[in-house]
Amino acid sequence: MTARHTPYFNLLDALKTPGCALCTLGRTAVANFMDSMLYEYVNDTEMQQRLTEAHGFCATHSRLLLTYHNALGITILYNAIFRQLETELPQGQEESASWFDRLAGQMGHDSSPKHLAAHAPCPACQIRDETAERALNVLHAHQQDADLAAAWQTSDGLCLPHLRQALDTLDGPAYAMLLSHQRQIWQTLRVQLSEFIRKNDHRFQHEGFSEESDAWRRAVEFTSGALDVF
């Protein structure tokens, strides 16, 4: 039997929480990253370099960053980011691209670098994706584990972004278990969506809503990933 370590138990716990387990793990990992970055590494050269190459965080993780009450830490980091952005801003009055060149770029024939394009992905997105990859590797390594299988089969399944990642990572029993459970989750959700539509018909409104009342919200999150994660 493969040894059980902290990542195993983290995945087991995440599978027992509502929503996509990999979103849950990613949310925790990103929060830990933000905490350590703001309170320990704002003056760290490597951290600042990582952020300047990405031109800051993506929209989702920028909104998350603003929920932290550390204005000074954010200021220090973004001072470094804008110092870098200033160096990348085109100088003078360069001639704009011709109509033909712009059309070629829109058709995917232009391989030249775009103005102010980031040189690296959002660091928080990287943390999120690496966390999901580690969890999927744990699932693959422990795919014969009864406790993990039981937790998986009673979980809420995966969101679409993490399902794609899982299908590219898993094989064998873990892959089959993933497909079987995800199909069941989606079929149940479809029934609930249909029921929500039916109960919005004036003829059936007297029945009231139950578990299908938030099916529309779960459907959006299932396709996009948790709204504070992606």
Side-chain angles (χ1 to χ4, degrees):
M1 176 183 292
T2 305
R4 299 178 176 182
H5 299 295
T6 300
Y8 169 91
F9 293 104
N10 288 343
L11 176 58
L12 196 63
D13 289 341
L15 288 168
K16 297 175 183 178
T17 62
C20 170
L22 300 189
C23 282
T24 297
L25 291 171
R27 183 183 295 111
T28 300
V30 169
N32 291 339
F33 169 74
M34 292 285 195
D35 274 331
S36 63
M37 177 191 69
L38 287 172
Y39 295 100
E40 299 177 46
Y41 295 106
V42 292
N43 290 306
D44 180 77
T45 303
E46 290 186 9
M47 179 62 74
Q48 290 190 3
Q49 180 67 22
R50 189 174 179 184
L51 280 170
T52 57
E53 289 181 353
H55 292 171
F57 293 99
C58 67
T60 295
H61 293 120
S62 292
R63 287 190 291 270
L64 175 63
L65 180 67
L66 293 175
T67 66
Y68 286 79
H69 301 292
N70 191 331
L72 178 59
I74 295 173
T75 301
I76 292 171
L77 291 170
Y78 276 78
N79 185 46
I81 291 167
F82 275 93
R83 187 165 55 242
Q84 174 63 28
L85 284 172
E86 278 190 69
T87 69
E88 297 182 24
L89 194 65
Q91 300 298 314
Q93 298 294 322
E94 288 89 347
E95 185 178 351
S96 62
S98 68
W99 174 87
F100 181 80
D101 289 338
R102 290 196 299 271
L103 180 62
Q106 292 169 3
M107 296 178 65
H109 301 310
D110 183 8
S111 59
S112 61
K114 300 294 184 277
H115 288 319
L116 299 176
H119 312 298
C122 166
C125 289
Q126 284 186 299
I127 295 291
R128 176 200 66 202
D129 295 343
E130 290 166 1
T131 299
E133 191 68 26
R134 281 195 297 272
L136 290 171
N137 288 336
V138 167
L139 180 61
H140 186 273
H142 295 270
Q143 53 187 306
Q144 302 291 352
D145 185 277
D147 291 340
L148 196 59
W152 188 274
Q153 290 164 1
T154 56
S155 74
D156 285 346
L158 297 182
C159 66
L160 191 55
H162 280 135
L163 179 61
R164 294 189 187 106
Q165 190 175 358
L167 292 174
D168 288 339
T169 302
L170 300 176
D171 58 21
Y175 185 89
M177 179 175 66
L178 171 70
L179 285 179
S180 175
H181 184 56
Q182 199 68 38
R183 184 171 287 107
Q184 178 184 351
I185 290 291
W186 285 357
Q187 287 173 347
T188 300
L189 180 60
R190 281 273 290 110
V191 169
Q192 293 173 351
L193 291 168
S194 297
E195 187 66 354
F196 185 88
I197 294 170
R198 186 185 71 83
K199 287 184 176 180
N200 269 278
D201 187 312
H202 68 91
R203 294 170 297 172
F204 308 110
Q205 287 179 350
H206 66 278
E207 295 181 20
F209 293 99
S210 55
E211 61 184 3
E212 74 279 353
S213 63
D214 67 342
W216 57 275
R217 187 182 300 276
R218 285 182 281 118
V220 171
E221 192 160 302
F222 260 127
T223 55
S224 68
L227 301 183
D228 60 341
V229 176
F230 285 94

